[in-house]
Amino acid sequence: MPRLEDHCWSCSCASRIETKHSSGANWLAHKAEEMMSIITSVLSNAYGSLHDVRTANLIRRGLVLFTVGAFLALVLNLLQIQRHVTLFPEEVMATLFSSAWWIPPCCGTGAAVVGLLYPCLDSHLGEPHKFKREWASVMRCIAVFVGINHASVKLDFANNVQLSLTLAALSLGLWWTFDRSRSGFGLGITTAVLATVFTQLLVYNGVYQYTSPDFLYVRSWLPCIFFSGGVTVGNIGRQLAMGGVEKPHMD
Amino acid sequence: MTLREQLREKISAAFYRHGLLCASYPVPIILFTSASILTCCYPLLRLPLPGTGPVEFTTGVRDYSVPSHEPQGDLGERPDWYRGPPVAYIQQVLVKAAVSPWDSSLVTVDVFRSPLGRAFSLLEEIRNHVHSDSSGVRSLETLCLQVTDLFPGLRRMQSVLPEHGCLLVSPGNYWQNQRELFDSDPDLLKTIQKHEPQRPAHLDLLFGVPGKYTGVSHYNKKKVVTYTMTLVLSRYDARFLGSLRARLKQLHPSANCSLRDDHMVHVHFKEEIGIAELIPLVTTYIILFAYIYFSTRKIDMVKSKWGLALAAVVTVLSSLLMSVGLCTLFGLTPTLNGGEIFPYLVVVIGLENVLVLTKSVVSTPVDLEVKLRIAQGLSNESWSIMKNMATELCIILIGYFTLVPAIQEFCLFAVVGLVSDFFLQMFFFTTVLSIDIRRMELADLNRRLPAEAGLPPPKPGPLRTREAPPPPRPSPHTITLQTPAFRNLRLPKRLRVVYFLARTRLAQRIIMVGTVIWIGILVYTDPAGIRTYLAAQVSDQSPLGDPGGGGLPPHLGVAPVFRGGDPTSTLGINPAPAPTPIPDNQSQGHHGSSRVGPLPEAPPPSVPQITWGAEDEEGWRRLSFRHWPSLFSYYNITLAKRYISILPVIPVTVHLSPQEAIETRHPQDTKHPPPSIPKVAADIQTDLTLYKVAALGLAAGVLLVLLLFCLYRVLCPRNYGQNGVTHGRRRRGDLPCDDYGYSPPVSEISPLLLRGHSMDIECLASDGMLLASCCLAGQIRVWDAQTGDCLTVIPNHGLRRSSSSGCWEQRDGWESVSGAAETECLGSEAHGSSISGDGLSEGEGYPLRRRTAPSRPTLFTDQPDLTPLIDTNFADQPPSHLCTPPREGFDFGGLVERAYMEHEPPSPSAYPSPSSASSSPPSGAQLQRRPSLGDSSAFLTQDRASTAGTQATADWESSVWAMELRGNLIAAGRSSGKLELWDAVEGSLRCINEDGVSGITALAFLNNRIVAARLNGSLDFFTVEINKPLGLLQYRGAPGRGSMPPSPCYSSEDVISCQLTRSVQCAHQKPITVLRAAAGRVVAGSQDHTVRVYRLEDSCCLFTLQGHSGGITAIYIDQTMVLASGGQDGAICLWDVLTGSRVSHVYGHRGDVTSLVCTTSCVISSGLDDLICIWDRSTGIKLYSIQQEVGCGASLGVISESLLVTGGQGCVSFWDLNFGDLLQTVYLGQSSDGQGVRQLLVLDNAAIICDFGSELSLVYVPSVLEKLD
């Protein structure tokens, strides 16, 4: 049953954040060591076969989060390639697949790490997240996140400051509406800062670049996107963690 | 009270009133709401329908000027997009050429070779046309749209499309516009078809007409070739075009051409949706669906889940529509892409409020009236709804001040949408909800109507309907909260899905509707759709429309000649301008259009005829609507959200002589005779198209079905009762209401609390009309079971008939009495005391006592005082009692039977002499536990002075262990072994019998007979005799429960005597724990693992039923002679009372079976393991079990065939027996914890009486009939 649920979840609703061109690589790098630590802990757990169920659960959640993250990255990346749509599907597909292949996996990994970190942090802090814990709310959160991305791409703002401020307000609103926990806020901020720094590094080293950078080398709205992405993935992760534990009561 | 609270109260009250209103007038309110929705949506009609089809707008040619960018005041019907210059002007020159007269010596290639050849000269003509007037000299080069490279990746097209120059498209492009190449081309058709298949075909692109109209094929029967030269102009110059038109008409006049040339059509193209945009869009929609799915899944406990989910979605959607409509009404034009922002709007508005409302309403008490339920549910949630809405409005308002136009617009829509959503929730959804709940109750009513006719004989279940389990049998009191279809547990899920589909024909209907919509959309969006098709049909049917096919109708041959006779020229035939041929290709502005001359040559009066019909006027309509976008897209020019202007077509008619045709022949042309089966080939061609279309349609249909199926699977919750046992096992902790974090609302009609007893209630008896209760203090109160009024108080101290005031008095009095009892050193205990010491160690005590047993009652007074010994017992026993039974706390006030079975005293139980006092010590040990609650009522005193009859004095010193109520007689069995009969109404002691000494542990009162089970295992049968002074025997109207004969009513004048008719001394080897009587049988269960069945009349033991491996703890017997017994071994046995055989034997509990109830179809048992098991009565198979909270009471009651009541901690719960679902929990008091319900009685009027500490609770089970005014 949990597997079914997860499956349903991963294929029916794709949501995750981290879309932007830059985010993927960034995630990959700065999450790598965290990932390693998690992997080692997972392995050690596996050795003590007592934790089989827990480990399996963890891996499953990680997979789901990875899928969601990768899919969202792909989809939201497409938002960037819009406008100059040609009438030739071949061309579009070519553009689609010619874009850097490493983005979705990176975003997926980042999503998995953040999504697993959130419930972990909750349990360590000892304040379980109780606010709006249901799938409908998670769906809403994802939709709002996609909407924020959509807005950042499509809306024409007078200047970049306005755009960034608007997006920041939207991100904060997302957090307030769906999270409202200090740990969530803190982790989101951390995620945003780390991811932005990493993106800066990537751009500085010439891996790719932005057409019109206005914040050192990147766009100034990037942190907002990262923040809201972190919160959204955290929401999913928490729900998954909860669903795994209290599956019988989920209905 | 703070302002906030005041506000909260006011809001709550307002919502309450509103809920009442909605539930009272559902139909008018729904009508009103629908009307307002329609009104608000009306402006939407003016908005263009979504779709990618181009939109047209027609203006006149004469006064045409390029529209300005700024919107003008008087726009009239001018569309929004008609601003600024178009991307391009399209000028088509439509050429119809034919070789005439047709000569039999000509071959089929001649049909199109020479006509096509004329394209080059025409092209030359057009290219070289120069118009000069006062403003300068203009040629095509200056006006036309200059194009550069083709889009990369289109190298294949390079050979046919022009690059770096004017965009001028004609069939000549196939040959690079070079006549030489054309002439040397051996096979024209091959060249043309080389580039097939392309979408749209090059053929269409270059010829400017759909391929099948060109006539370029071997099978052209009309022998007319049609093609266009398409000029794409970047600027509009009326004079140049006018002169060009005149020039071409002069050169190639069209005789009977009546095409109108005064309108130009502007075509606006919608945005193209590419895959890159489609994927995010689809993703958002998927998220939206998931959101809706997860939200509506939470709707529960309603009649129609689907209906309410639909209503919820409708609420949100129509609020969005209303919002758009309202905004349009007030002049705000939506500029955002509706499809894109729609999911976000839905998410922002959300379904939450609707769900919250539903949950709140369904968690109100079921027994309330619908109106009140709605009102209460609404008012419970009013505050949170208002708060949420205020918050959302604030957030959106903040968004409004970002001053970004798009966000502002979004916010505006969202605000209006929120408000209209609130409006709809309050009016539409609430009303729908009330209708739903009412339907639920009506369904219940229908189900129970048959039961009203007569008392329900347990009918065999009706034929099983295919989709449902046997409907709950007609019974007076049924609660059903959901349709059986959705809560069906027994059928496999697959079957239910199929049944559901079959029942509703949902799939078929959806597919039908979908297909119709789909076809409609196809017809609507396809420009080559039905309109042009019809037009073509009309013209085809006209005589001139289709001159081809076999021979020509005779009149066609002459028709074109006489222009007046052309039936298609309904538009009027202008006298054809007969321009004088101009030798050069230059026109002068002042005379360009004024020249009128005679026709240079008369059209040859022979076939083939070139006709001009209405369909030629706008021949481009027959092209695919992607024709122009694709043409422009080859040069990387997008037409999305822009428009082009199509100028009126210039008709050109070319007649060629056969000589000309022969001259232009290629040597190879004659070598290729036409295939002999042209028609078949042509048919195949058209057929292939047909098949393609059909296959496409089929594929689309299949796709639609699959899509719908997936949608259904997604929307249909996977676990509709799939694992019913888990449903059934739903614990108290996750009641439906708790799932969502709601505390159950305080019910408006709370259970009726009967207060008056000062201590915990111990015995409870009822005969349907009256209710007698006895508390630990020994006070008996009689209540009216209907109203809950206290009728009589039988005080334990003196015959003081007092009201409830006597609580403390009584207690004081009691203490004094008990004190007196102590000091008096009640002698009667003496004999037993010595034995009681032995009794603690049964092994040795037993034989000893057997020998000493035959002591006579007369010795009683000589026995020494036993009080100290009892005290010792008291001190010793409790620890062992406390640790052994798991639920000591509850047992203190419990039934005596319970006390026995759980704390089996290690006492001798079989004494040869029944009336011996030797049994009193164990009874003392028993009693001490109860007084330990705080009263010293356990002193066994015996008042030998009691007398019979009206002079009887009650024995206040011993406590009541068993009580029964029949008629208005209360039979009370005391610990002292006395049986007292009280008048329930007057509260007077009518009779007392003290034949027995051993305490009466259980009583059965049936038909003037009283059976008393005593502690020593004996059964005494008493007969109540009534000597009526007046000879009147009144029968009260109210019958006993079930089909028991009505109990006689004893009037106060009667002299009642109670005589011991028989005493079965050794009924059981050990104390009798349970005694039940029904249907003329008395069944006694004992600690000795056996059940004995006695006949009531003659006290004859019929059977001894053996089968349990533990003491009997529960027995059920009813009128239908069903006997079930449960024991300490956790086993349940079903017996046949007639034969004494065991029908079935099942183990269901870990621990004692605490109570047993049967319905006609199942057996319900509860055990010490807090499990309630439901067994099939005939097969003995466990249907399901309900895990209850730890420590909830073991009391059970069955109200009807499908309704089970259990007692819990401070509450009673109602369960649906058919599905094992918890229907409702009624909380008895504000403090729900603490007291548990230990005894539960179901009365005839569907009320439940349960004890609740020192109070009694009277809970009325909702009856639909009562609510139906």
Side-chain angles (χ1 to χ4, degrees):
Chain A
M1 187 60 189
R3 194 173 309 155
L4 186 68
E5 188 73 34
D6 286 343
H7 180 67
C8 157
W9 152 248
S10 67
C11 52
S12 71
C13 26
S15 45
R16 223 215 63 100
I17 332 186
E18 262 79 279
T19 294
K20 299 311 159 161
H21 237 221
S22 43
S23 66
N26 169 9
W27 284 97
L28 177 64
H30 83 82
K31 293 293 158 58
E33 54 187 280
E34 292 165 334
M35 198 60 191
M36 288 309 289
S37 69
I38 286 201
I39 286 175
T40 42
S41 74
V42 162
L43 284 181
S44 63
N45 272 349
Y47 275 115
S49 57
L50 287 177
H51 298 282
D52 261 355
V53 179
R54 221 181 120 220
T55 312
N57 186 26
L58 205 66
I59 289 176
R60 202 184 54 232
R61 271 159 50 201
L63 276 183
V64 170
L65 283 168
F66 179 85
T67 317
V68 167
F71 183 72
L72 263 191
L74 208 62
V75 165
L76 297 184
N77 211 357
L78 270 178
L79 274 177
Q80 313 275 320
I81 320 175
Q82 49 140 13
R83 285 298 166 202
H84 307 292
V85 185
T86 68
L87 285 170
F88 297 97
E90 305 93 2
E91 303 297 318
V92 176
M93 295 318 284
T95 331
L96 182 59
F97 289 113
S98 67
S99 61
W101 59 268
W102 42 266
I103 292 180
C106 293
C107 294
T109 315
V113 171
V114 173
L116 291 177
L117 265 184
Y118 261 83
C120 184
L121 197 66
D122 279 346
S123 68
H124 274 292
L125 289 182
E127 33 187 60
H129 194 248
K130 290 290 177 201
F131 183 69
K132 286 191 182 174
R133 285 269 61 93
E134 51 196 11
W135 277 115
S137 165
V138 174
M139 285 299 137
R140 224 178 163 191
C141 181
I142 294 166
V144 170
F145 171 70
V146 176
I148 289 178
N149 274 276
H150 211 139
S152 75
V153 167
K154 284 221 163 177
L155 296 187
D156 304 318
F157 286 87
N159 52 49
N160 276 319
V161 177
Q162 200 184 20
L163 171 66
S164 306
L165 284 183
T166 310
L167 286 187
L170 281 177
S171 307
L172 277 183
L174 181 100
W175 170 78
W176 175 253
T177 318
F178 298 105
D179 194 319
R180 287 196 204 177
S181 70
R182 279 175 302 151
S183 60
F185 190 78
L187 203 49
I189 289 282
T190 317
T191 307
V193 168
L194 288 181
T196 315
V197 167
F198 191 77
T199 320
Q200 294 277 11
L201 286 180
L202 274 189
V203 178
Y204 183 75
N205 289 322
V207 178
Y208 69 99
Q209 55 187 359
Y210 280 91
T211 45
S212 54
D214 63 327
F215 176 58
L216 298 182
Y217 300 100
V218 297
R219 300 299 300 267
S220 52
W221 40 256
L222 212 53
C224 307
I225 298 289
F226 281 133
F227 175 76
S228 49
V231 170
T232 308
V233 173
N235 240 332
I236 302 173
R238 281 166 168 168
Q239 189 67 40
L240 280 178
M242 207 182 77
V245 176
E246 309 178 14
K247 193 60 74 178
H249 309 299
M250 226 194 76
D251 186 28
Chain B
M1 185 184 282
T2 64
L3 182 69
R4 180 188 155 97
E5 281 165 352
Q6 279 179 355
L7 191 66
R8 188 172 175 154
E9 277 198 358
K10 277 188 184 156
I11 288 177
S12 178
F15 272 65
Y16 192 91
R17 282 194 297 274
H18 176 77
L20 279 183
L21 174 81
C22 284
S24 306
Y25 307 101
V27 177
I29 286 183
I30 284 202
L31 286 181
F32 163 71
T33 319
S34 314
S36 25
I37 291 176
L38 290 181
T39 316
C40 292
C41 293
Y42 172 72
L44 290 181
L45 290 182
R46 276 189 255 158
L47 288 181
L49 279 175
T52 50
V55 188
E56 294 171 10
F57 176 60
T58 308
T59 54
V61 169
R62 295 195 190 285
D63 50 353
Y64 173 77
S65 62
V66 176
S68 65
H69 279 284
E70 293 76 32
Q72 289 152 6
D74 180 26
L75 287 176
E77 72 282 4
R78 186 173 287 197
D80 306 325
W81 48 263
Y82 188 59
R83 285 178 202 163
V87 177
Y89 299 91
I90 308 284
Q91 174 67 68
Q92 281 192 310
V93 178
L94 180 58
V95 180
K96 290 197 176 192
V99 177
S100 63
W102 186 252
D103 196 331
S104 56
S105 65
L106 298 173
V107 294
T108 53
V109 183
D110 293 326
V111 172
F112 51 87
R113 178 173 275 276
S114 55
L116 281 181
R118 288 301 284 270
F120 296 97
S121 57
L122 275 170
L123 214 56
E124 205 65 17
E125 194 82 25
I126 292 169
R127 280 188 190 280
N128 297 334
H129 183 75
V130 172
H131 175 76
S132 59
D133 60 2
S134 54
S135 57
V137 177
R138 274 150 298 185
S139 69
L140 188 66
E141 285 293 323
T142 60
L143 292 177
C144 76
L145 184 72
Q146 300 286 339
V147 292
T148 56
D149 282 334
L150 278 171
F151 196 77
L154 287 176
R155 300 296 162 213
R156 288 182 304 172
M157 311 282 289
Q158 264 181 332
S159 55
V160 289
L161 284 179
E163 277 188 296
H164 304 288
C166 272
L167 183 52
L168 173 57
V169 182
S170 75
N173 287 43
Y174 280 121
W175 299 275
Q176 277 84 43
N177 290 331
Q178 291 173 30
R179 179 78 195 223
E180 298 76 36
L181 288 178
F182 176 77
D183 285 339
S184 57
D185 190 350
D187 193 346
L188 296 182
L189 281 181
K190 195 179 163 194
T191 310
I192 290 171
Q193 285 162 1
K194 186 172 63 184
H195 296 282
E196 303 288 341
Q198 290 271 333
R199 293 290 308 168
H202 284 182
L203 192 67
D204 292 4
L205 205 62
L206 296 187
F207 277 75
V209 287
K212 60 177 175 175
Y213 294 108
T214 56
V216 183
S217 77
H218 287 299
Y219 325 112
N220 183 0
K221 295 208 174 63
K222 286 169 78 176
K223 308 222 175 343
V224 176
V225 174
T226 311
Y227 56 90
T228 62
M229 322 235 170
T230 307
L231 288 72
V232 182
L233 308 174
S234 61
R235 285 190 295 125
Y236 178 73
D237 191 312
R239 274 169 292 200
F240 172 80
L241 289 174
S243 71
L244 180 65
R245 176 182 294 268
R247 165 80 187 161
L248 289 177
K249 280 193 174 180
Q250 271 178 354
L251 287 178
H252 306 284
S254 303
N256 51 354
C257 175
S258 61
L259 301 187
R260 294 191 305 169
D261 55 359
D262 52 348
H263 284 101
M264 67 163 69
V265 181
H266 311 276
V267 183
H268 177 253
F269 293 92
K270 293 285 170 54
E271 195 170 9
E272 291 281 342
I273 297 184
I275 288 186
E277 286 183 330
L278 212 56
I279 290 181
L281 203 63
V282 168
T283 311
T284 42
Y285 273 89
I286 288 176
I287 296 174
L288 178 70
F289 276 122
Y291 169 60
I292 292 178
Y293 163 64
F294 281 119
S295 298
T296 52
R297 194 171 78 156
K298 290 185 290 187
I299 296 181
D300 207 357
M301 299 197 33
V302 291
K303 168 89 177 163
S304 156
K305 254 182 119 150
W306 280 77
L308 275 192
L310 185 70
V313 175
V314 162
T315 305
V316 173
L317 293 194
S318 37
S319 69
L320 279 183
L321 286 182
M322 281 172 77
S323 128
V324 179
L326 285 176
C327 289
T328 318
L329 188 67
F330 292 111
L332 182 93
T333 327
T335 57
L336 296 174
N337 185 338
E340 249 169 39
I341 64 166
F342 171 76
Y344 302 126
L345 276 177
V346 171
V347 164
V348 163
I349 289 178
L351 289 165
E352 262 70 16
N353 274 353
V354 168
L355 302 175
V356 162
L357 272 185
T358 313
K359 275 174 262 163
S360 169
V361 168
V362 297
S363 57
T364 51
V366 191
D367 49 345
L368 287 187
E369 204 180 337
V370 175
K371 276 192 235 176
L372 294 180
R373 287 187 72 186
I374 298 283
Q376 219 178 70
L378 226 60
S379 78
N380 281 344
E381 282 307 322
S382 59
W383 181 245
S384 72
I385 287 180
M386 292 307 283
K387 217 167 57 179
N388 281 341
M389 181 158 150
T391 318
E392 286 184 342
L393 282 182
C394 280
I395 290 177
I396 291 175
L397 276 185
I398 292 173
Y400 193 76
F401 289 111
T402 51
L403 301 180
V404 181
I407 292 187
Q408 278 180 330
E409 191 185 329
F410 181 86
C411 289
L412 201 60
F413 280 126
V415 165
V416 183
L418 264 184
V419 174
S420 46
D421 184 55
F422 179 72
F423 165 76
L424 285 184
Q425 275 164 21
M426 284 303 111
F427 285 93
F428 177 72
F429 189 78
T430 311
T431 319
V432 170
L433 194 60
S434 78
I435 289 177
D436 183 270
I437 289 182
R438 184 156 314 171
R439 271 182 60 209
M440 194 168 77
E441 300 205 333
L442 283 183
D444 292 341
L445 179 67
N446 289 339
R447 207 168 299 144
R448 47 167 297 197
L449 267 186
E452 301 303 318
L455 213 56
K459 287 180 238 167
L463 281 180
R464 289 200 169 215
T465 49
R466 50 179 189 174
E467 77 275 7
R473 285 194 186 73
S475 56
H477 311 289
T478 306
I479 297 180
T480 306
L481 289 182
Q482 285 176 348
T483 52
F486 282 148
R487 297 172 53 230
N488 182 353
L489 303 186
R490 316 273 158 73
L491 277 177
K493 184 187 160 210
R494 212 175 6 151
L495 274 185
R496 271 182 293 116
V497 169
V498 173
Y499 289 154
F500 175 76
L501 289 182
R503 194 169 66 246
T504 57
R505 292 179 175 72
L506 190 71
Q508 291 96 316
R509 286 180 190 167
I510 290 181
I511 290 171
M512 266 165 52
V513 169
T515 317
V516 166
I517 292 175
W518 181 59
I519 290 174
I521 289 176
L522 275 191
V523 168
Y524 174 77
T525 48
D526 190 6
I530 195 157
R531 276 175 302 170
T532 30
Y533 176 72
L534 282 181
Q537 284 289 313
V538 166
S539 57
D540 278 355
Q541 283 163 5
S542 66
L544 281 182
D546 185 14
L552 283 173
H555 66 279
L556 281 185
V558 289
V561 186
F562 310 103
R563 298 186 305 256
D566 186 350
T568 57
S569 308
T570 50
L571 297 174
I573 293 170
N574 306 326
T580 8
I582 296 179
D584 60 357
N585 193 16
Q586 303 206 346
S587 62
Q588 299 297 317
H590 54 277
H591 66 160
S593 58
S594 62
R595 290 193 194 167
V596 173
L599 287 170
E601 49 192 295
S606 61
V607 291
Q609 291 304 324
I610 295 174
T611 56
W612 294 92
E615 76 271 13
D616 292 324
E617 195 171 302
E618 290 175 331
W620 52 269
R621 284 192 195 282
R622 286 184 293 194
L623 294 167
S624 152
F625 70 94
R626 293 185 53 94
H627 180 88
W628 302 117
S630 53
L631 175 64
F632 282 94
S633 71
Y634 294 155
Y635 299 97
N636 206 5
I637 301 171
T638 177
L639 290 186
K641 291 178 152 183
R642 299 161 85 184
Y643 75 99
I644 57 172
S645 299
I646 298 177
L647 302 172
V649 74
I650 300 175
V652 168
T653 310
V654 177
H655 291 282
L656 298 148
S657 65
Q659 292 77 21
E660 222 172 332
I662 291 171
E663 280 166 18
T664 55
R665 263 188 201 165
H666 190 272
Q668 285 197 343
D669 282 352
T670 47
K671 292 176 189 169
H672 297 290
S676 55
I677 44 164
K679 182 143 174 68
V680 175
D683 284 352
I684 285 177
Q685 222 172 10
T686 53
D687 279 358
L688 273 185
T689 336
L690 253 180
Y691 290 146
K692 270 187 210 161
V693 168
L696 211 66
L698 202 67
V702 168
L703 200 69
L704 195 72
V705 172
L706 284 181
L707 194 72
L708 286 172
F709 180 70
C710 292
L711 210 64
Y712 175 77
R713 291 298 298 267
V714 167
L715 284 179
C716 177
R718 288 172 169 71
N719 45 5
Y720 273 148
Q722 187 180 14
N723 30 17
V725 181
T726 39
H727 253 286
R729 273 188 190 144
R730 188 148 49 182
R731 289 209 246 127
R732 193 70 43 90
D734 27 81
L735 301 182
C737 47
D738 286 345
D739 269 350
Y740 315 110
Y742 294 107
S743 56
V746 180
S747 62
E748 196 164 78
I749 298 182
S750 52
L752 204 55
L753 282 184
L754 313 183
R755 298 166 202 265
H757 283 293
S758 56
M759 303 189 64
D760 279 5
I761 289 164
E762 188 179 359
C763 302
L764 204 55
S766 169
D767 69 342
M769 296 290 286
L770 294 178
L771 174 69
S773 61
C774 177
C775 70
L776 276 180
Q779 187 186 46
I780 298 174
R781 280 173 178 262
V782 182
W783 317 80
D784 187 333
Q786 308 285 338
T787 63
D789 296 335
C790 181
L791 299 177
T792 319
V793 178
I794 302 174
N796 59 4
H797 191 65
L799 285 178
R800 184 173 43 192
R801 185 172 306 175
S802 70
S803 61
S804 61
S805 66
C807 173
W808 289 105
E809 264 180 274
Q810 288 159 13
R811 185 161 296 189
D812 294 341
W814 173 249
E815 280 163 2
S816 69
V817 167
S818 59
E822 279 180 33
T823 55
E824 277 167 10
C825 299
L826 306 167
S828 60
E829 303 301 321
H831 178 74
S833 66
S834 64
I835 300 163
S836 84
D838 301 331
L840 293 176
S841 56
E842 190 173 350
E844 49 207 303
Y846 184 73
L848 179 66
R849 255 173 283 125
R850 276 196 78 117
R851 286 190 299 272
T852 58
S855 53
R856 291 180 301 276
T858 51
L859 295 177
F860 281 9
T861 47
D862 300 327
Q863 300 302 323
D865 182 17
L866 259 193
T867 316
L869 183 60
I870 294 172
D871 280 344
T872 309
N873 283 347
F874 187 42
D876 289 343
Q877 294 281 55
S880 64
H881 285 309
L882 281 173
C883 56
T884 45
R887 284 186 295 165
E888 177 80 15
F890 294 105
D891 296 327
F892 271 121
L895 288 169
V896 175
E897 293 93 331
R898 291 282 316 273
Y900 265 103
M901 84 194 169
E902 285 172 26
H903 317 285
E904 176 181 1
S907 66
S909 53
Y911 290 97
S913 59
S915 56
S916 155
S918 62
S919 63
S920 55
S923 72
Q926 284 299 321
L927 280 171
Q928 281 152 18
R929 288 182 299 104
R930 286 176 291 138
S932 71
L933 279 180
D935 203 310
S936 55
S937 66
F939 297 102
L940 301 180
T941 62
Q942 288 203 337
D943 185 358
R944 302 286 302 174
S946 62
T947 56
T950 50
Q951 291 85 26
T953 52
D955 169 22
W956 300 117
E957 281 70 34
S958 61
S959 57
V960 176
W961 281 4
M963 192 168 67
E964 274 294 307
L965 176 64
R966 283 286 171 268
N968 52 0
L969 274 188
I970 299 173
R974 290 192 176 266
S975 56
S976 57
K978 291 180 184 171
L979 177 69
E980 297 170 352
L981 286 180
W982 296 83
D983 188 310
V985 178
E986 302 195 344
S988 57
L989 182 63
R990 305 302 301 270
C991 169
I992 188 164
N993 184 303
E994 38 198 325
D995 290 340
V997 179
S998 182
I1000 294 176
T1001 58
L1003 274 178
F1005 193 165
L1006 194 65
N1007 301 346
N1008 290 350
R1009 281 175 191 273
I1010 299 175
V1011 185
R1014 293 187 187 270
L1015 202 54
N1016 57 7
S1018 65
L1019 271 182
D1020 286 356
F1021 289 78
F1022 297 93
T1023 307
V1024 178
E1025 288 171 4
I1026 307 160
N1027 305 315
K1028 288 173 291 295
L1030 301 177
L1032 286 175
L1033 185 62
Q1034 301 166 334
Y1035 281 88
R1036 290 203 313 183
R1041 179 158 173 74
S1043 56
M1044 215 169 277
S1047 308
C1049 180
Y1050 310 99
S1051 62
S1052 55
E1053 293 82 18
D1054 299 347
V1055 176
I1056 296 175
S1057 64
C1058 178
Q1059 290 187 340
L1060 178 65
T1061 52
R1062 170 139 193 242
S1063 177
V1064 182
Q1065 295 301 334
C1066 194
H1068 281 281
Q1069 306 296 316
K1070 288 188 177 180
I1072 292 172
T1073 50
V1074 206
L1075 185 68
R1076 293 279 184 273
R1081 298 286 185 274
V1082 175
V1083 185
S1086 160
Q1087 293 281 4
D1088 61 3
H1089 305 184
T1090 59
V1091 177
R1092 290 196 175 195
V1093 183
Y1094 294 88
R1095 201 183 294 149
L1096 190 59
E1097 302 92 64
D1098 53 1
S1099 330
C1100 167
C1101 178
L1102 297 176
F1103 307 109
T1104 299
L1105 309 176
Q1106 291 177 326
H1108 283 283
S1109 55
I1112 307 298
T1113 53
I1115 282 181
Y1116 176 86
I1117 185 172
D1118 62 12
Q1119 286 303 115
T1120 56
M1121 292 273 197
V1122 176
L1123 174 59
S1125 63
Q1128 284 174 326
D1129 51 352
I1132 298 162
C1133 289
L1134 291 180
W1135 311 88
D1136 184 348
V1137 180
L1138 294 177
T1139 64
S1141 60
R1142 189 167 70 187
V1143 177
S1144 58
H1145 181 222
V1146 291
Y1147 286 95
H1149 295 280
R1150 295 185 304 274
D1152 300 6
V1153 176
T1154 51
S1155 58
L1156 265 179
V1157 184
C1158 294
T1159 67
T1160 51
S1161 60
C1162 54
V1163 179
I1164 302 131
S1165 65
S1166 72
L1168 275 184
D1169 52 357
D1170 299 313
L1171 210 61
I1172 295 179
C1173 294
I1174 287 88
W1175 314 82
D1176 190 89
R1177 195 161 121 177
S1178 51
T1179 62
I1181 294 171
K1182 180 152 90 170
L1183 297 177
Y1184 55 92
S1185 60
I1186 300 168
Q1187 177 67 54
Q1188 285 193 299
E1189 225 174 39
V1190 174
C1192 57
S1195 43
L1196 279 181
V1198 170
I1199 297 180
S1200 71
E1201 282 299 313
S1202 59
L1203 193 56
L1204 173 73
V1205 191
T1206 61
Q1209 285 282 35
C1211 60
V1212 287
S1213 302
F1214 296 90
W1215 305 82
D1216 187 334
L1217 270 184
N1218 292 324
F1219 308 105
D1221 280 357
L1222 178 62
L1223 298 177
Q1224 172 112 19
T1225 300
V1226 174
Y1227 288 84
L1228 300 177
Q1230 291 296 337
S1231 57
S1232 61
D1233 44 13
Q1235 300 282 3
V1237 171
R1238 298 177 305 260
Q1239 298 187 62
L1240 201 143
L1241 274 184
V1242 178
L1243 304 184
D1244 278 342
N1245 54 353
I1248 300 157
I1249 286 286
C1250 48
D1251 65 335
F1252 181 55
S1254 64
E1255 294 165 350
L1256 285 176
S1257 269
L1258 186 60
V1259 183
Y1260 281 102
V1261 180
S1263 164
V1264 182
L1265 270 192
E1266 287 167 12
K1267 284 193 246 176
L1268 202 77
D1269 302 325

